[in-house]
Amino acid sequence: MTFEQFKDECFKLALEKGCENAEVCSMATDGFSVNVLKGELSKYSIESTNGFNLRVIYGGKSGYAYTEVFEDAESLVDHAIDNAKAIENTDENPMQGACEYPEIEKKPNPVVDMSEDEKIELALNLEKDTLAFDDRVNRTAHCSIDTGVSRIHIHNTLGLKADTEETYSSAVIGAILRQGEDEHSSYAFKFGPEITDYQDIIKESVDNALMQFNAKTVDSGEYRILLRNDAAGDLLQAFCSMFFAGSVQKGLSLLAGKLGEQIASPMITIIDDPFEKDNPRKFDAEGVPSVVTNVVENGVLKSYLYNLKTALKDGVASTSNAGRAGAAAPVETAPSNFYIVKGEKSFNELVAQLDHGLIITELSGLHAGLNPVSGDFSLIAKGLLVDNGTILRSVDQITAAGNFLAMMKDIIGVGSDIKFGFPGFGRVGSPSLLIEKLVISGK
Amino acid sequence: MVKSSIVNAVLDEALRTGGDFSELYLQDTESNTMTMIDGKVENANYKRQVGAGVRVLKGTRSAYAYSADTSEAALLACARAAASALKGEKEFEAKSICIDRIGKSFAKIPFSEIDNAKRIELMRKATNAAKAHSGEVTQVVANYSDFDHRTWVYNSEGVHAEDRRPRVRTAVQAVAMANGEAQTGTCSPGYGMGFEAYNEKIDIEEVGREAAKTAVTMLHAPECPAGTVPVVIDGGFGGVILHEACVHGLEATSVGRGNSVFCGKLGQQIASPIVNAVDDGTLPGEWGTMHFDDEGNPSQCNRLIENGILKTYLVDILGSRLMNHPITGSGRRQDYTFAPTSRMTNTFFAPGNDDEEEMLRTMGEGLFAAKMGGGSVNPLTGEFNFAVSEGYWVRDGRILCPVRGATLIGKGAEVLMKIDRIGRKMWMAPGMCGSLSGSIPTNVGQPRIRVSEIVVGGKGGAL
């Protein structure tokens, strides 16, 4: 059965069986990815997925069922109705009706149209150029090109027809550098049409690996910290659920009741911008037309991120932040392009301002060592020791600990060097941030 | 699931361009997940995931193509797509299926016999027990899930292996709040069983109480001091230290490419002589158990470390070609969208001979990590980290007070040598492990152990 036939049958059955409304979110993806190692293909993958996620509103409650087999619409509808019947939460479950979408400017992506052989060639060249970049590059831990097209349809019985086709392309390189017996690696990535111009990520990967040699720990204590843009973005991403209205309404966010209050240094402005030029979108996972949201302005909390349901509960409009963690997942909240607005100072000016302290270049274990509910974090870190505005040496085997909200108030410098993380369930960016203090554990 | 004539045609088509091995993987998974927040069901989902993947190997080169469509035409298209990675002439024919391996479901009570009311009742009991534990518990989130994961593997060497792996898990998170501070506690048991796990293994009210107890204890705990001290790590999920600090570095994914600190260490002392470590995929009803792995090989009990000496790596088919090492039944993948690679199953430190109380009494000043959170590792350098979700500061061999916000970091090769006590009673706890072939269920386990020194990260001062 085709998508249209299967959808029509599901909608018809759902309405016959007493549902008030029904909606489908379908995502079909065709992709190609290639990894190379030592001049040979190590992984070559052709991908085709097609998921159909049905949501019904039955008795005012919303129930889901997902399948990848376009047959037996009745069983799918029955599963969804059963799940709607199980819901005890009395929140209303609105759906988006028919609407117009803003035109967005998307850069053409010629990489997706390249032949498989050309993409393989691109990956081989990326590895070859990485090995040639510096004598100390011993081999690669990872070298891949990933491209594809996703077609998304969100249709419902209220007349919503949100259709879009999105292309994606990314390059990832991880160089392993060797000096004596020591080896260190670092990954760098790029996505979008510009991946054929990959010299910058080779340099980034090699520079970050080189930085780790001859590292030592430091004495435990409080340090002034320069959190480099990529590490700052990783931390913001890990804590961004704090800003979701759903977390606030469920008592899982410390930002409850803080609208209009100063929650961060006046240097901090945070925006959620679905139109951001490198990753624009017309609508969110509920088909709501994109809008820009000012989340924090000069340190004052202005808005949470809403989907239709959480917005209705607070009596406001959706901020077009419905998201699904994959085709099979229910509607939740996700940022679009969520970022701290850049400041004036270059990275080197921030190092001078740091004067004495640590530059943190990498934070790891973010899925474990932090708690989005309490805001506390204690994370393994790598970095550089700075004295008198000069980098002295590398630092490893330390942890950096603090509380996210306390840290946001302690920011005393914002860089001009904004960097975004890899797009996934939202895309988060930050410039480098100078922080009055974090607690470092070392020796 | 698919006719044998089609299987053979697909395996043979995949070898058309010179591959020496081809494999067809089919998957059909049904799952039910529900979320209860503050005593009300918030979300209920049903998911059926069906798809297929074809893999071709030639030496150590690998190509994979997958599709959600499992029709004959789509499977042949996958075979052609995978084969197109190689540019040679056909060298091998696919053998007809001659080895059948059938793994029967462990489930006594299949999930199809369970209605949503039973699932809701479990979450309600856990929620009520957590709330009843203390008035400071302000929020309880319960996540119920069940999976019926069915796999079919066929390969050009004549193997046909079917497996059916049910699994259940309920994860409870309690939030305790006071004075503008929030702390959480979790408890999330899981088993490779049917719904009978809730009669035989899981006391759902105890799960709620455990989560609440951690949240409330941590709410009244000062911040953990930072520094390098002795650490006692309790059994169960404490075994995450073995998982992160060592066994990821024994997987062919890193060893086969020369990217592990444990490369070339077979037969050598890599851990203190009291250390024995095992990865056992055969334990009935456990979270990481399977009859056959996702390459169709029987799962087995792998004795990784004996008396501190490294005995084996964890090796899948491609890894065995890269390393010239026997296959260990460790080929796993999340679903058909991933090619398989070497992974863990149920991984644990075997019981030792030390007294659980003595190791605290004689540790001086340090940290007792009663409950661990997740972690991660860089296999190239062995640098690991994990979170302590419930910790206690120990002074003069006695527990002084609970402490919050602790993280343990170190280098795997060093920490294994510093284990100076291993207790007598071992137990396991479930987790989800993420790596190249996706997110898979794995158990970690250990008895209570002591590490003579480790870097403890926290933001507190002296207590």
Side-chain angles (χ1 to χ4, degrees), chain A residues 139 176 178 181-184, chain B residues 244-251 253-266 268-270 310 313 377-384 410-416:
Chain A
R139 61 193 188 279
I176 297 180
R178 193 178 175 91
E181 287 297 297
D182 272 353
E183 289 188 338
H184 288 287
Chain B
E244 300 296 355
C246 175
V247 187
H248 268 305
L250 302 183
E251 291 170 337
T253 45
S254 47
V255 181
R257 305 291 187 190
N259 296 339
S260 166
V261 286
F262 298 111
C263 284
K265 295 276 171 75
L266 277 184
Q268 293 184 27
Q269 191 88 33
I270 61 160
L310 179 61
Y313 296 112
V377 67
N378 175 350
L380 181 68
T381 57
E383 294 167 291
F384 65 80
K411 293 185 178 170
E414 293 170 12
V415 83
L416 286 177

Side-chain angles (χ1 to χ4, degrees), chain A residues 44 88-89 250 378 441, chain B residues 42 64 84 124 139 407 456:
Chain A
Y44 166 103
E88 297 164 331
N89 179 314
K250 289 169 196 158
S378 175
S441 180
Chain B
E42 176 88 8
Y64 190 64
S84 68
R124 175 119 41 230
Q139 186 60 285
T407 298
V456 176

